[in-house]
Amino acid sequence: MTDPAAAPAPPGAPRLLGLDTALYLVTDSAMCRAAGRSVAQTVALAVEGGAGLVQVRDKHAGEAEFDELARSVVAAVEQTRDRLGIDHEIPVFLDDRVASARRLLDEGLRVHVHVGQDDEPVERVRTAIGPEPLLGLSASNEQEFAAGEAAGGVNLFGVGPVWATQTKDVARAALGPERIRELAAAARLPIVAIGGIGAGNAAELAGSGAIGVCVVSAICAAPDPRAAAQRIRAAFAETPHLDDPAHLDEPSDPPAPHPAGGTP
Ligand SMILES: Cc1ncc(COP(=O)(O)OP(=O)(O)O)c(N)n1
Ligand SMILES: Cc1ncsc1CCOP(=O)(O)O
Ligand SMILES: [Mg+2]
């Protein structure tokens, strides 16, 4: 188990300062298509609804197709930011596709990378993309946190699945919100929670220490992605369990602000 008090926070965490991390949209091209929209249209609507982080995830696209998809998402995010006057960056992560990230960075596009435990090791990813882009790593227990922190160059952990999901074949059991709370306290980098999250349960993660909730199907397959994003974001910002007597004994002091500053 990592001890948060044992050493100073590793470099990486302060990189999230100024971002709006509460709602992290992860795209699924097939779901967007089935709902009658392009990925870029879905992203624009989700950003209007309050998504502050975006990840392009497509397990089937060929390399050139994925590059084009990522370009379309970066353009959609930039147009939406301009239109709404959003002055902070809305980072676009590429899931798994380190070579694509390198190509797009070389074109002058600002992209970031997310990898998992079975993907390219984070040391190699960081070498490939250079010091500037954000690097997310899937990590769902204390051992994976320790390894990711020791590797250096990681900025945030994606932790899940919180609940059962149809979107990905996940071998691990669902963690549940209480375990997310424990893991958020154990990690020395900011965590975002992923898996089975929607408007109906996002409030259970409010105050958990996660700086955001990652959502695929509840936005990509929604009839109205803008409204879905608004509802999930609002639910995550809610104080949970106010009607639950078990919480009435808890101290009323607000939690210390997270270093990333993105907690709603
Ligand atoms: C933010 C975030 N967290 C976790 C994941 C899952 O990544 P991974 O375990 O590599 O699985 P795939 O998404 O690649 O199937 C993620 N993509 N984003
Ligand atoms: C990519 C990924 N990693 C862990 S769960 C998951 C899928 C989450 O999708 P959904 O939000 O539809 O449950
Ligand atoms: Mg992966």
Side-chain angles (χ1 to χ4, degrees), residues 24 55 57 59 95-96 114 116 119 138 158 168 192 194 214:
Y24 185 163
Q55 181 186 128
R57 180 174 182 273
K59 298 291 182 183
D95 178 50
D96 297 347
H114 183 93
D119 299 320
S138 308
K168 178 179 165 68
V192 288
I194 186 167
C214 306

Side-chain angles (χ1 to χ4, degrees), residues 24 26-28 54-63 66-67 69-70 92-105 111-122 124-126 128-129 134-139 158 167-169 194:
Y24 185 163
V26 179
T27 68
D28 182 298
V54 173
Q55 181 186 128
V56 186
R57 180 174 182 273
D58 188 318
K59 298 291 182 183
H60 305 293
E63 291 209 0
F66 187 88
D67 287 3
L69 175 65
V92 175
F93 292 80
L94 309 186
D95 178 50
D96 297 347
R97 309 279 190 135
V98 181
S100 176
R102 187 61 264 165
R103 284 191 292 275
L104 298 194
L105 288 165
V111 289
H112 308 272
V113 173
H114 183 93
V115 289
Q117 295 290 320
D118 299 328
D119 299 320
E120 210 166 319
V122 287
R124 284 210 339 237
V125 179
R126 181 51 82 195
I129 62 179
L134 294 167
L135 177 52
L137 172 68
S138 308
T167 302
K168 178 179 165 68
D169 239 346
I194 186 167

Side-chain angles (χ1 to χ4, degrees), residues 174-193:
L175 297 166
E178 280 314 312
R179 181 69 176 136
I180 293 294
R181 187 179 293 271
E182 268 178 32
L183 288 170
R188 293 176 56 238
L189 289 171
I191 77 160
V192 288

